[in-house]
Amino acid sequence: MAPKEESDAVKIALESKDSEKKESKNNNKAPKDGELQEATMSEEDQELKERLETCVSTVVNKDSEEAVTVPLRLKALDVLVSELRSATSSMTSVPKPLKFLRPHFPELKTLHVGLVGDIAVDADNEFLLLRARLADVLSVLAMTLGDGGEFLPIFI
């Protein structure tokens, strides 16, 4: 039998300071909510993100600049489409162009709704092509959002 002193003893688990340091380092390195942090992006990723944002700003044309014509907007949209098509990634992850374009979905959707409502320009073939390609890009983006509640108005 064990001495009386040992049977009454209480076991206490102690953590070393080294394990606390390792945990704090691991917590600092983890990206928040799956988003890419700009500090951890490579130069190539940063360049891709800037190119996509430039194309989105050209397509949206918030300032209503007259120099940004429908053919120029169509070329910017074609760059977006080619980046989405050429994105190489594993099948288990979302390609980087889609990740970088997610924040721009609401403004692109607003543009598409405005283009659908603009009946006066319907005779222009380039305008119709712009509207159709924008709808294609938005449908691909909507699939990756995961909300399940995004829909585009379709008129036949």
Side-chain angles (χ1 to χ4, degrees):
M1 231 180 160
K4 187 176 182 180
E5 296 171 5
E6 286 183 14
S7 64
D8 293 336
V10 177
K11 293 183 181 180
I12 299 174
L14 296 174
E15 293 183 13
S16 68
K17 292 182 181 179
D18 293 337
S19 66
E20 291 176 7
K21 288 180 183 178
K22 288 179 185 177
E23 288 177 10
S24 67
K25 286 181 182 179
N26 291 339
N27 290 341
N28 291 340
K29 290 182 182 179
K32 297 177 182 177
D33 296 332
E35 62 187 33
L36 290 174
Q37 297 175 351
E38 290 193 23
T40 61
M41 282 198 293
S42 67
E43 287 182 32
E44 184 178 312
D45 291 345
Q46 187 66 31
E47 181 181 320
L48 174 65
K49 184 176 181 180
E50 289 173 3
R51 184 171 50 240
L52 293 173
E53 287 176 349
T54 302
C55 290
V56 167
S57 66
T58 302
V59 170
V60 172
N61 191 18
K62 283 185 180 179
D63 299 333
S64 299
E65 298 174 15
E66 291 182 19
V68 181
T69 59
V70 172
L72 184 61
R73 293 167 85 181
L74 192 55
K75 286 183 182 183
L77 192 58
D78 286 340
V79 171
L80 290 176
V81 169
S82 66
E83 287 293 338
L84 290 171
R85 284 184 180 164
S86 66
T88 56
S89 183
S90 69
M91 294 303 291
T92 59
S93 65
V94 178
K96 288 183 182 179
L98 287 175
K99 289 181 182 180
F100 296 148
L101 287 174
R102 280 180 184 168
H104 301 288
F105 182 80
E107 62 185 321
L108 289 172
K109 183 179 176 185
T110 303
L111 173 68
H112 181 265
V113 170
L115 292 178
V116 168
D118 195 2
I119 300 171
V121 191
D122 275 345
D124 189 10
N125 286 337
E126 288 180 334
F127 182 81
L128 293 174
L129 186 60
L130 173 72
R131 192 168 66 186
R133 286 218 180 120
L134 182 59
D136 291 342
V137 169
L138 285 172
S139 65
V140 171
L141 278 175
M143 286 190 291
T144 62
L145 288 177
D147 293 340
E150 295 294 334
F151 301 100
L152 297 176
I154 297 175
F155 297 100
I156 299 177

